[in-house]
Amino acid sequence: MTDRPVRIGVQIQPQHASYDKIRDAVRRAEDIGVDVAFNWDHFYPLTGDPDGLHFECWTMLAAWAEQTSRIEIGALVTCNSYRNPDLLADMARTVDNIADGRLILGIGSGWFEKDYDNYGYEFGTAGGRLDDLAEALPRIESRLAALNPAPVRPIPVLIGGGGEKKTLRLVAQYANIWHTFADVEVLHHKLEVLRGHCDAIGRPVDEIEVSVGVGGRGRDGNPPPAPSDEGPQLHEAGARLFTIGVSGPDYDLSTVEQWIAWRDEVNG
């Protein structure tokens, strides 16, 4: 992959916390030097009490756009099923303007059935949801080009997922950033598949920033691996954006701080 600086993201999961705790976590993330702050697009917690405290994604991103001044912000990732694609493009354009050009449009096909069932969306099949995403992406692109005022910058599109036939083809066609939770071995393989899709459409794969989720707890509840243990191999494989997930109620950023120190060592 082409040389580009290491960046550190944090996914501030909007669960099990009052909003003042979330607001404080975003403030602390920006203060310690995080590059990107993500939330997620769900309606219920994914871990812990399934009916615990939880907040909606895009209204929160608008608040983050006003609160922050440096970091990029976005969803990891928006569920394509929950909003009309043209409306989503307008929402993204609006948040990007509020943030003065710092939005990343993270998007995926959706997977959490409880969200669908309780909010009245048709869950369908994984393949069908990916087909819907394939139809939505050019609509989003077209609507962004038509809006007045335009986004402050061409909004980077992040696509999450690792499906080799459909998802990675969409990454090759539309994404500026590809996000995965793959380990090193799987990452090498998926990048070769992505390279094949890029070659097929005549796009340099180096145009796509590779994003990985890191910092998860080890087996048997052990502490997460140190950045110096987990980072170098992923970096060698091509990863450049490393994102750590943190959950409420307290949003411990100590692991994030370790990754920031590692980033600064690597970037010099």
Side-chain angles (χ1 to χ4, degrees):
M1 310 301 288
T2 189
D3 194 26
R4 64 173 82 221
V6 168
R7 302 199 296 157
I8 300 301
V10 59
Q11 185 189 53
I12 298 172
Q13 300 163 358
Q15 60 177 6
H16 307 308
S18 58
Y19 190 73
D20 63 316
K21 293 284 190 180
I22 296 172
R23 182 191 299 114
D24 178 66
V26 175
R27 176 192 61 78
R28 289 187 288 123
E30 185 163 57
D31 286 349
I32 66 176
V34 162
D35 296 293
V36 188
F38 295 107
N39 59 8
W40 67 28
D41 190 19
H42 295 287
F43 306 131
Y44 297 92
L46 298 186
T47 62
D49 180 0
D51 294 310
L53 299 175
H54 199 277
F55 289 98
E56 194 274 330
C57 170
W58 274 90
T59 45
M60 181 180 296
L61 287 176
W64 288 9
E66 282 284 11
Q67 177 188 346
T68 58
S69 61
R70 179 189 59 80
I71 57 176
E72 292 185 290
I73 59 173
L76 193 65
V77 290
T78 305
C79 176
N80 175 64
S81 306
Y82 301 157
R83 299 165 192 86
N84 172 284
D86 294 79
L87 171 61
L88 178 61
D90 202 341
M91 292 165 60
R93 178 279 307 256
T94 300
V95 173
D96 187 63
N97 273 263
I98 297 170
D100 195 24
R102 293 181 289 115
L103 179 75
I104 294 171
L105 177 54
I107 193 165
S109 59
W111 62 273
F112 190 40
E113 189 169 4
K114 180 178 179 179
D115 284 345
Y116 286 78
D117 291 346
N118 287 3
Y119 275 62
Y121 297 103
E122 181 181 351
F123 188 58
T125 66
R129 293 191 300 276
L130 278 166
D131 291 342
D132 289 343
L133 178 61
E135 293 180 4
L137 286 165
R139 286 180 58 183
I140 291 168
E141 191 176 75
S142 177
R143 180 58 60 186
L144 285 171
L147 288 167
N148 184 19
V152 175
R153 64 170 179 174
I155 297 175
V157 173
L158 178 154
I159 295 178
E164 297 182 9
K165 292 183 179 180
K166 292 185 177 183
T167 302
L168 292 181
R169 184 173 71 242
L170 293 175
V171 171
Q173 291 175 301
Y174 296 103
N176 305 98
I177 307 168
W178 169 54
H179 181 78
T180 178
F181 292 96
D183 61 22
V184 173
E185 182 178 351
V186 173
L187 181 60
H188 275 293
H189 170 70
K190 297 291 186 182
L191 282 173
E192 284 306 306
V193 175
L194 178 58
R195 187 181 302 276
H197 287 304
C198 286
D199 289 345
I201 63 171
R203 182 186 184 190
V205 70
D206 289 348
E207 291 183 356
I208 301 169
E209 183 177 23
V210 178
S211 168
V212 292
V214 294
R217 299 195 68 81
R219 294 181 180 178
D220 302 321
N222 293 324
S228 57
D229 293 331
E230 191 174 9
Q233 289 184 318
L234 290 168
H235 183 267
E236 186 277 331
R240 291 297 181 269
L241 175 56
F242 299 80
T243 298
I244 303 94
V246 293
S247 180
D250 298 320
Y251 296 108
D252 181 358
L253 299 183
S254 57
T255 298
V256 180
E257 291 178 315
Q258 295 173 24
W259 280 92
I260 289 171
W262 177 78
R263 174 202 67 190
D264 293 346
E265 290 178 5
V266 174
N267 289 343

